[in-house]
Amino acid sequence: MPLILRVNKVPQTLVDQLALSNSVIELVDLQPPDEQTIDIVLASGESIVDDELISRLPNLKLIAVFGVGYDGVDIHAARQRGIFVTNTPDILTADVADLAIALMLNVARRINAAQQYIERGGWHEGSFPPAFKVSGARLGIVGFGRIGRAVAQRAQGFAMKINYYARSDHQSQDATYYPSLVSLAENSDVLIICASGGKESRHLINREVLAALGAEGIVINVARGSVIDEAALVEAIDTESIGGAGLDVFADEPNVPQALLNRDNVVVTPHIGSATHATRAAMAKLVLDNISAYQSGSPLLTPIY
């Protein structure tokens, strides 16, 4: 049977399907004899498939990523060795954009805080304080790829003024381009992060950007935890330099800073952007189809290059 190496964070259901016609081993169980025969690595976007691991696998030909992001994969090392990399684009766009809007509404309208207010008996003592109005507010989107544009489309339903920051001006008729993150933040009530992860975007959202967002501003992150300077975010929350945050991703998952927990103005979720039954099943099918295509010598469905 062909031997596939699974690097962490890939659903067991996908592994079970692959195991019907392949042998799948875990990275922790990888032994030198196996290193010589593995030609497929199965990974998630956050999995570390670096030059060191790639160098250990002389027959590696395909890195199949379960996810749209692939910042954990050393693309340069793969390309140098003629190794194909595939991912699962488009499929999860709608779910991630939906969650971004849900987090925005939750933080702005303080839904979690309102529930906790009832649960601790606060309603008997008086009314819950007014919250932030979303409709008509200014939305800044960081990263205007598939997910960023899907967020913008949804935000139009709330009559939001949509601005964005990206590597280049997309000439959108429905959104205004800002070449500076600081100026985008200064002109936003809500900042939603949709940028790709990786070295280039590390700590893109720093103290200066958060300060520009202001004391009433809300930051939402459905991208990668590394895109925000987490220490700066904690400081901004602690000092009330921003109004709140909705976070689905973190710098050191599954570890979430204690300072971000149990706060009325912070909503946290455990990296569930694509976690619906339908989307995860479709993502798994695309991974399987890419692997089948490689093994049969057919063109890959979604090669990164």
Side-chain angles (χ1 to χ4, degrees):
M1 270 190 174
L3 190 59
I4 296 176
L5 174 66
R6 175 170 81 159
V7 184
N8 65 356
K9 292 188 177 180
V10 178
Q12 186 60 42
T13 52
L14 172 56
V15 175
D16 291 342
Q17 288 176 285
L18 282 170
L20 296 175
S21 54
N22 302 271
S23 293
V24 182
I25 65 168
E26 305 294 330
L27 180 59
V28 293
D29 299 323
L30 183 61
Q31 299 296 324
D34 296 327
E35 294 174 357
Q36 306 304 309
T37 59
I38 288 170
D39 63 345
I40 298 174
V41 162
L42 176 64
S44 73
E46 303 88 44
S47 300
I48 303 302
V49 186
D50 56 14
D51 184 63
E52 179 183 356
L53 177 58
I54 291 172
S55 297
R56 292 170 59 188
L57 308 173
N59 289 312
L60 182 60
K61 296 295 187 294
L62 174 66
I63 301 170
V65 177
F66 179 87
V68 64
Y70 46 88
D71 40 293
V73 177
D74 189 331
I75 295 297
H76 178 71
R79 184 181 287 114
Q80 279 190 323
R81 293 168 174 80
I83 299 166
F84 292 107
V85 182
T86 60
N87 66 341
T88 58
D90 297 320
I91 294 171
L92 49 70
T93 298
D95 276 346
V96 177
D98 288 352
L99 182 65
I101 296 297
L103 287 170
M104 176 181 70
L105 291 171
N106 195 329
V107 177
R109 295 304 305 269
R110 303 180 69 199
I111 294 171
N112 282 12
Q115 177 175 337
Q116 293 161 8
Y117 184 77
I118 291 175
E119 291 171 347
R120 62 175 178 258
W123 202 3
H124 293 282
E125 300 171 4
S127 300
F128 187 72
F132 176 82
K133 182 179 179 179
V134 171
S135 293
R138 301 170 301 168
L139 172 62
I141 301 174
V142 181
F144 212 60
R146 296 181 182 91
I147 294 172
R149 292 194 296 271
V151 168
Q153 182 183 39
R154 285 154 175 75
Q156 289 173 4
F158 294 93
M160 301 186 82
K161 176 176 172 51
I162 302 166
N163 308 312
Y164 71 95
Y165 167 87
R167 293 174 182 171
S168 61
D169 187 348
H170 289 250
Q171 303 293 322
S172 171
Q173 294 182 346
D174 301 314
T176 301
Y177 172 67
Y178 279 80
S180 161
L181 264 175
V182 171
S183 60
L184 176 70
E186 287 173 340
N187 289 279
S188 300
D189 300 304
V190 180
L191 202 63
I192 296 184
I193 303 166
C194 304
S196 301
K199 294 179 181 178
E200 292 183 0
S201 64
R202 176 176 165 77
H203 291 184
L204 198 63
I205 308 302
N206 54 25
R207 282 181 173 82
E208 186 180 8
V209 174
L210 292 171
L213 184 59
E216 301 297 323
I218 293 168
V219 62
I220 305 296
N221 192 6
V222 292
R224 287 284 190 262
S226 59
V227 181
I228 292 185
D229 181 341
E230 210 164 75
L233 176 62
V234 168
E235 180 183 302
I237 293 292
D238 277 340
T239 60
E240 299 183 355
S241 300
I242 64 172
L247 310 166
D248 185 49
V249 289
F250 304 89
D252 182 28
E253 297 176 2
N255 301 306
V256 178
Q258 190 65 35
L260 295 175
L261 303 180
N262 302 308
R263 288 182 176 271
D264 284 351
N265 62 340
V266 178
V267 176
V268 295
T269 52
H271 203 150
I272 58 171
S274 65
T276 64
H277 294 297
T279 293
R280 287 287 172 88
M283 289 169 65
K285 183 179 185 304
L286 183 51
V287 172
L288 288 167
D289 289 346
N290 271 311
I291 290 174
S292 296
Y294 160 72
Q295 290 178 329
S296 66
S298 303
L300 298 170
L301 281 73
T302 52
I304 291 167
Y305 64 90

